[in-house]
Amino acid sequence: MRNGMLSGMLWALDTTIMGFALAALLLTGSQGAIPAIAAVLIGALLHDASSALWVGLINGVRKRISVTRAALGTPGGRRVALGALLGGPVGMTGYVIAISYIGSAYTAVLTAFYPAFGAVMAFFLLRDRLSLLQFFGLTLAISGIVGIGYLTTTNDATASNPFLGLLGAGLAIIGWGAEAVVYASASQTSEIDTDIALQIRQSTSALIYTVVLIPLLIWWKFPLSNINLNDLWLFAVAALVGTLSYYCYYSAIEKIGPTRAMGLNISYSAWAVVFSALITLTMPSWWSVLLCLLIICGSTMTCHKRTENN
């Protein structure tokens, strides 16, 4: 359980740092929806590429680069690469599209259901079942996230294209939910450990972002001079925190299964409120505090009977 909860805490910190990094990525000359989407996609590329470098550095020190290259040709390695495609470019791109067309609050509410989709996949593909108490905990956590999203909708942008927004949110739900199940399948049927899996995951994601993003930037005629290179260190810091989060997340998937790991990971919604309050020195509303407690309690309940395995 500890690893799953840590993955949520670290992902919330990663998200907070990424918020500052993305705000600094573009100079004030960029206007319009496409530059905003481009900024987030460039940010995702920089994040995953930096994370791949961090993992590569760790594996290099441990002399495991050759092991990683060999793992790429195995069925387990290909499954991890598939999970990277689903969780990175598919899930994250859908998330960006949803934010652009229906706003961040509605997107947060909708994409919070990715553990539910993942739970259904895990049930049919891996026979991973939740007890009644664990299912109740997952429902509480998702309800808390929906509540926090509802509190922020009054300050969110009006939906400009609900159809595209819902399509993007659907891609995020499917991509993120499927990633956990695919990785769980790979870890059960191969000897690929977390270090190797994370190297494959982040490298594959960064490569796909590069292949897809460069033609899009050319098509959009996006001026690369808008990118502020002085703040790239923020992405490196965020990537380091994100790498630690993924280590914990993948470790939790291996130990307690994808459904419980996802249930703990979505606690990042609550921890994000905590980190935001600490950084901005503002006290959140009592409703936000109660909903955060609901999320954390619900997330903890999702793996109640498996605590001893962590």
Side-chain angles (χ1 to χ4, degrees):
M1 185 181 78
R2 179 182 65 254
N3 287 336
M5 189 64 73
L6 272 175
S7 76
M9 292 178 63
L10 290 168
W11 191 251
L13 182 57
D14 179 356
T15 303
T16 303
I17 299 173
M18 276 290 287
F20 290 109
L22 289 171
L25 181 62
L26 295 181
L27 298 176
T28 54
S30 296
Q31 300 292 335
I34 288 180
I37 295 175
V40 178
L41 292 178
I42 292 172
L45 166 60
L46 293 173
H47 180 278
D48 285 3
S50 298
S51 179
L53 291 175
W54 282 118
V55 183
L57 178 62
I58 296 171
N59 286 336
V61 171
R62 299 178 63 187
K63 299 180 180 180
R64 305 199 68 199
I65 298 297
S66 59
V67 179
T68 304
R69 285 199 298 264
L72 275 170
T74 65
R78 289 191 289 270
R79 288 186 185 182
V80 174
L82 174 61
L85 170 64
L86 293 168
V90 173
M92 185 62 186
T93 301
Y95 187 67
V96 173
I97 291 173
I99 289 175
S100 300
Y101 290 110
I102 60 176
S104 58
Y106 290 111
T107 299
V109 170
L110 292 172
T111 56
F113 287 92
Y114 87 86
F117 175 80
V120 174
M121 279 193 66
F123 176 79
F124 286 105
L125 298 180
L126 305 176
R127 301 302 177 188
D128 184 28
R129 296 174 174 84
L130 291 178
S131 68
L132 183 61
L133 179 62
Q134 291 165 340
F135 179 79
F136 179 67
L138 179 60
T139 303
L140 282 182
I142 293 176
S143 299
I145 296 172
V146 171
I148 285 182
Y150 178 78
L151 290 179
T152 61
T153 52
T154 54
N155 298 321
D156 207 7
T158 303
S160 59
N161 192 323
F163 175 76
L164 286 178
L166 291 174
L167 179 63
L171 286 175
I173 292 170
I174 293 171
W176 292 343
E179 178 190 12
V181 177
V182 169
Y183 175 67
S185 174
S187 65
Q188 289 178 4
T189 58
S190 69
E191 295 182 354
I192 294 179
D193 58 23
T194 303
D195 295 346
I196 296 174
L198 193 53
Q199 181 76 75
I200 296 173
R201 195 265 182 217
Q202 299 299 66
S203 299
T204 301
S205 179
L207 178 62
I208 295 174
Y209 271 124
T210 301
V211 171
V212 173
L213 186 57
I214 290 177
L216 283 177
L217 293 179
I218 295 174
W219 179 50
W220 286 336
K221 297 180 180 179
F222 182 78
L224 294 180
S225 59
N226 283 343
I227 299 177
N228 187 352
L229 298 178
N230 295 326
D231 296 299
L232 293 184
W233 65 272
L234 282 170
F235 288 97
V237 174
L240 177 58
V241 177
T243 299
L244 296 175
S245 173
Y246 262 104
Y247 267 115
C248 294
Y249 184 44
Y250 274 24
S251 177
I253 291 174
E254 292 176 7
K255 293 180 178 179
I256 60 176
T259 304
R260 297 165 187 82
M262 286 184 287
L264 288 167
N265 182 254
I266 58 173
S267 66
Y268 74 82
S269 299
W271 296 117
V273 174
V274 175
F275 287 128
S276 177
L278 291 174
I279 291 173
T280 61
L281 299 179
T282 56
M283 178 65 184
S285 67
W286 284 109
W287 272 114
S288 295
V289 173
L290 290 174
L291 289 170
C292 286
L293 292 175
L294 182 66
I295 294 170
I296 294 173
C297 290
S299 295
T300 304
M301 290 171 63
T302 60
C303 60
H304 177 73
K305 292 186 177 180
R306 300 289 293 276
T307 314
E308 68 277 3
N309 293 336
N310 276 295

